Amino acid sequence: MHPQPHPDSLKMAVTCAVVTVSDTRTPETDKSGQLIQQLLLTAHHSIGVYTIIKDEPAQIQQQIELLGKNANLDAVIFNGGTGIAPRDTTYDAIEKLLEKTLPGFGELFRFLSYQEIGSRAIASRAIAGVYQNKIIFSLPGSSNAVRLGMEKLILPELVHLVKQVKGNIQN
């Protein structure tokens, strides 16, 4: 475990949307969406929205635009559709809308994935950035990838990133 360079002295609950992108998952079979919610709640954050949408670029963009208008949300965590198969369109849909990107998120995610699964990590198109003053994360759909991204990257930096986006970088 690496120490945070600037630990947050004030604890803050972040309200998140969890969006599963899948043509086949249901709320009962969405293990990755359930895991994201469980990890957020365990870290004392809250779930403002949970939904499952089809892996269709128009639906993904419509969802991100809708969530961008929700003043109660601080962050959105997508899972699914980040590979290179023909139906994997999440990266392409989200990347076009991001106002700022956080390239380090995808780079670190692939580095950490490489340590776990080897060279197959190159097929991941995990991405993060900012849209409408909200932090947007997009993770692969596998539960192992979700756990890795949440525990190693998202949860340790979520409060700090939200504070930066909102212009409140003091602790």
Side-chain angles (χ1 to χ4, degrees), residues 129-149:
V130 178
Y131 176 77
Q132 298 291 314
N133 291 323
K134 290 170 184 34
I135 299 293
I136 310 294
F137 297 100
S138 181
L139 293 166
S142 84
S143 293
N144 287 342
V146 162
R147 182 174 299 282
L148 175 75

Side-chain angles (χ1 to χ4, degrees), residues 99-110:
E99 296 153 1
K100 294 182 180 181
T101 59
L102 297 171
F105 175 78
E107 294 162 359
L108 284 171
F109 180 82
R110 284 180 284 281

Side-chain angles (χ1 to χ4, degrees), residues 5 19 21 25 27 34 54-55 76 125 128 133-135 137-138 141 144 156 166:
V19 181
V21 179
R25 300 258 194 274
Q34 293 168 8
K54 298 286 186 206
D55 202 339
V76 181
R125 297 189 300 157
N133 291 323
K134 290 170 184 34
I135 299 293
F137 297 100
S138 181
N144 287 342
K166 294 185 178 291

Side-chain angles (χ1 to χ4, degrees), residues 4 10 13 18 21 23 30 38 50-51 53-54 65 67 69 75 87 99-100 102 110 116 126 136 143 156-157 159:
Q4 291 178 322
L10 294 177
V18 177
V21 179
D23 294 331
D30 181 18
Q38 173 196 343
Y50 166 67
T51 190
I53 60 173
K54 298 286 186 206
E65 288 169 353
L67 295 171
K69 295 175 185 168
R87 292 290 300 156
E99 296 153 1
K100 294 182 180 181
L102 297 171
R110 284 180 284 281
E116 287 191 2
I136 310 294
S143 293
E157 294 300 325
V159 169

Side-chain angles (χ1 to χ4, degrees), residues 22-142:
S22 173
D23 294 331
T24 59
R25 300 258 194 274
T26 65
E28 296 75 35
T29 63
D30 181 18
K31 290 184 176 24
S32 293
Q34 293 168 8
L35 179 59
I36 293 169
Q37 292 177 78
Q38 173 196 343
L39 292 169
L40 286 168
L41 293 172
T42 300
H44 307 290
H45 299 299
S46 63
I47 313 302
V49 173
Y50 166 67
T51 190
I52 299 173
I53 60 173
K54 298 286 186 206
D55 202 339
E56 295 288 344
Q59 281 190 38
I60 296 165
Q61 288 185 330
Q62 182 180 25
Q63 187 67 44
I64 198 171
E65 288 169 353
L66 180 68
L67 295 171
K69 295 175 185 168
N70 186 333
N72 297 320
L73 294 175
D74 302 306
V76 181
I77 304 171
F78 285 85
N79 76 93
T82 62
I84 59 171
R87 292 290 300 156
D88 290 334
T89 62
T90 306
Y91 173 90
D92 307 287
I94 291 175
E95 187 268 339
K96 290 178 171 99
L97 292 178
L98 293 178
E99 296 153 1
K100 294 182 180 181
T101 59
L102 297 171
F105 175 78
E107 294 162 359
L108 284 171
F109 180 82
R110 284 180 284 281
F111 171 73
L112 294 168
S113 293
Y114 177 78
Q115 293 177 328
E116 287 191 2
I117 65 169
S119 59
R120 292 244 167 119
I122 66 171
S124 169
R125 297 189 300 157
I127 188 173
V130 178
Y131 176 77
Q132 298 291 314
N133 291 323
K134 290 170 184 34
I135 299 293
I136 310 294
F137 297 100
S138 181
L139 293 166
S142 84

